[in-house]
Structures are given as structure tokens and as C-alpha cells.
Amino acid sequence: QVTLVESGGGLVQPGGSLRVSCTASGSVDSVYVTAWYRQAPGKQREFVASISTGNSITYADFAKGRFTISRANVKNRVDLQMTSLKPEDAAVYSCKHSESSAQIWGQGTQVTVSS
């Protein structure tokens, strides 16, 4: 069984930067994809970025050039570095871990962009 823990959310001013992290623990497969999604109040959840264990990376159009997804030097941790944040980036950011046998969601972390 795999458990996900997200961390790093918080309050940031417009134009600022923030990093959120997703750490998988338990019986983690050697091959998996970690994806970040976000959901703002009153809106549908939307895809942000994903990275595979083979380092294949995909970004949503709004994330290109501002967000960077990467594998941390910590085992089974994926970071999402967000820069030039805008008020419209405010949302609950959740990670999803997909491997051959299952898809697991984390509990989400709140990102607030406000002055």
C-alpha cells in the first residue's frame, strides 16, 4: 500500500515563489508517474504537471515557463516549484501517484496567492 504526503503549501504574494512536495511511502513500485492537480473554489480540478520515473515530463499550458516539476534527492519525492505566482494560481494542490496496480491521491495542500 502506498501513502502520499504533500507539503509546502502556504501564503505567498503575487509574483512570489513556492514549492510543494509530494512524498510516497510504503510499497512503492519502481515505475510510476506522479502528477500534480489543482482545484480552486467553484472550479473543476485541473492538471498541472506530471513526471514519470523515466523523467518524462508534461505541463499544462498555464504552467509552462513558470512551474517546474522534478524528482527530489529524497527517495520517492517529487517537487513542484512554482514561480511568478498569480492570484489565479490559488488552489488546493494535490498529487496523484499512478503505478501498475493503483492510483493514489494525497490529501492536498492549500496554496494562497494574495497581497
Side-chain angles (χ1 to χ4, degrees):
Q1 188 172 355
V2 176
T3 302
L4 296 182
V5 176
E6 295 124 331
S7 61
L11 173 64
V12 63
Q13 292 185 343
S17 299
L18 198 65
R19 186 184 74 186
V20 291
S21 299
C22 176
T23 303
S25 61
S27 303
V28 181
D29 199 356
S30 61
V31 178
Y32 60 87
V33 176
T34 302
W36 281 98
Y37 288 77
R38 70 184 189 183
Q39 187 168 22
K43 294 188 177 182
Q44 289 190 330
R45 183 165 59 194
E46 61 180 347
F47 171 80
V48 178
S50 66
I51 185 169
S52 71
T53 45
N55 285 326
S56 175
I57 293 174
T58 303
Y59 292 104
D61 285 344
F62 68 80
K64 292 176 182 177
R66 297 192 300 128
F67 294 4
T68 302
I69 190 170
S70 63
R71 299 199 163 280
N73 289 327
V74 176
K75 187 178 180 181
N76 295 329
R77 193 182 92 189
V78 169
D79 294 336
L80 180 69
Q81 179 70 43
M82 302 180 286
T83 63
S84 301
L85 284 163
K86 307 172 184 179
E88 53 263 41
D89 293 317
V92 174
Y93 284 71
S94 301
C95 64
K96 183 179 75 171
H97 174 99
S98 302
E99 55 184 54
S100 60
S101 59
Q103 287 185 349
I104 301 99
W105 286 88
Q107 81 285 357
T109 185
Q110 179 71 49
V111 171
T112 302
V113 184
S114 175
S115 55

